[in-house]
Amino acid sequence: KFFCRAYLVVIKVSAAKKSLKVKIKKVSSQATGYEIQYSTSKKFKSSKTKTTTKTSYTIKSLSSKKTYYVRVRSYKTVG
């Protein structure tokens, strides 16, 4: 598998009780899916990664009263 991250991804994040919802604006029909990375560190040390093919994803089981940083990239699987 080859992952290409040449697509710009625009996200909207909304917080809920011990969870957050990530909404992704679809920018290219060529993207196979999205990789959502989140962490309590700005530099994403010890980050966790989730993958999805949908444009909306809810991350659950988070700690309350903490700041989470989220970044998303699209990918295309080739081969």
Side-chain angles (χ1 to χ4, degrees):
K1 290 183 178 179
F2 173 74
F3 296 106
C4 174
R5 26 177 185 158
Y7 307 110
L8 176 67
V9 178
V10 179
I11 63 170
K12 180 181 179 184
V13 179
S14 57
K17 190 173 183 178
K18 295 192 176 185
S19 67
L20 60 88
K21 187 170 187 174
V22 180
K23 289 187 179 180
I24 305 162
K25 183 178 179 184
K26 190 173 183 178
V27 292
S28 175
S29 60
Q30 295 180 351
T32 306
Y34 301 95
E35 187 177 86
I36 303 166
Q37 200 173 22
Y38 64 98
S39 177
T40 54
S41 167
K42 280 186 180 182
K43 296 186 177 184
F44 287 86
K45 292 185 178 180
S46 69
S47 64
K48 295 183 180 178
T49 305
K50 304 287 183 182
T51 56
T52 183
T53 57
K54 298 181 180 181
T55 56
S56 182
Y57 190 83
T58 302
I59 302 170
K60 298 178 182 178
S61 302
L62 300 176
S63 300
S64 60
K65 298 184 181 179
K66 285 202 173 195
T67 302
Y68 282 88
Y69 299 92
V70 179
R71 63 184 177 190
V72 179
R73 69 175 185 174
S74 61
Y75 65 87
K76 179 181 178 182
T77 306
V78 180

